[in-house]
Amino acid sequence: MTRRSSPPRRRRHGTGGAPRQPGHGRLRIIGGDFRRRLLPVLDSPGLRPTPDRVRETLFNWLAAAIPGARALDLFAGTGALGLEALSRGARQACFVEHDGRVAAALADNLATLGAAERARVVTADARAFLAGEPVAFSLVFLDPPFRHELATPCCAALERGWLTEDAFIYLETEAELAPCVPTTWVLHREVRAGDSTGRLYHRRGDSAAGSPDGDAC
């Protein structure tokens, strides 16, 4: 998911030109078991799925890591990234979304796809969620609202037990931001789309890169 807080802009819904319905957009699953399925998306301020092109690129990079993965979709919104992971063979996915209406719509979409048994939707602030008891995930999608200074603290919080030793972390930020990430994260790939930059990191927990609490700033 991609949330934009400022400046206001036209929202894209990843439908390849499909018409919008009043009050709703449409999310298209790109690959896997749910390929080409269209799901409704609430017309909530600043909410839209990560564009098709970026998702396709990202999941091509992650092809070998998806089967059997335990995925965490923080700031989930539409859940586009977590849903795509489930479609492509992730074992489980946890979606964290603070807006109750958006979270309910995501739960409905999971039920529509028959994927509810492999998923958990948590209605909570992402920072509050990360302050709780950690469970290790092998794949994390981190897409905080832009220009709210959330990327750095959330990246640091993930190192407190939320990641497997060799986890992949996808971080999407405003293009002008140089993110500060833990020194155990190695930049694997990078993609630019409009006003955002997506970076895929591979965690090397046993590397000599630095301590888990360190950062690369």
Side-chain angles (χ1 to χ4, degrees):
M1 186 280 288
T2 301
R3 260 185 215 279
R4 301 292 179 262
S5 57
S6 64
R9 55 177 303 196
R10 186 187 302 274
R11 298 185 209 102
R12 292 175 289 173
H13 293 276
T15 61
R20 291 183 62 182
Q21 297 179 356
H24 289 80
R26 305 289 278 178
L27 165 66
R28 180 170 67 93
I29 305 297
I30 298 171
D33 294 340
F34 310 140
R35 185 179 181 184
R36 297 193 180 95
R37 294 287 297 271
L38 287 173
L39 301 169
V41 173
L42 287 179
D43 192 4
S44 179
L47 180 67
R48 68 172 176 85
T50 297
D52 284 13
R53 179 179 65 82
V54 174
R55 277 187 286 146
E56 185 168 13
T57 297
L58 172 62
F59 282 94
N60 284 340
W61 294 341
L62 288 170
I66 294 292
R70 297 186 73 250
L72 173 62
D73 193 348
L74 283 167
F75 305 96
T78 65
L81 297 176
L83 290 171
E84 196 76 45
L86 286 173
S87 180
R88 294 172 187 249
R91 178 165 54 96
Q92 294 177 338
C94 178
F95 301 83
V96 180
E97 169 56 41
H98 79 281
D99 187 313
R101 290 177 62 248
V102 176
L106 173 54
D108 288 344
N109 282 338
L110 285 162
T112 296
L113 293 172
E117 291 185 357
R118 292 193 288 142
R120 178 187 176 206
V121 179
V122 180
T123 305
D125 176 83
R127 292 166 297 182
F129 176 83
L130 292 175
E133 187 67 25
V135 176
F137 291 89
S138 58
L139 177 60
V140 174
F141 304 109
L142 179 59
D143 186 4
F146 287 4
R147 303 174 184 90
H148 282 245
E149 299 183 356
L150 292 170
T152 295
C154 286
C155 289
L158 285 170
E159 278 293 321
R160 298 172 193 144
W162 291 100
L163 302 172
T164 62
E165 186 173 278
D166 60 349
F168 281 95
I169 308 99
Y170 174 71
L171 173 63
E172 189 167 325
T173 68
E174 56 270 39
E176 68 271 18
L177 180 67
C180 180
V181 302
T183 55
T184 49
W185 297 12
V186 178
L187 182 63
H188 183 62
R189 297 287 173 84
E190 187 172 325
V191 61
R192 175 77 179 266
D195 66 349
S196 69
T197 298
R199 296 175 175 89
L200 180 64
Y201 296 93
H202 194 191
R203 185 175 187 267
R204 303 292 191 181
D206 60 348
S207 75
S211 66
D213 293 327
D215 59 51
C217 298

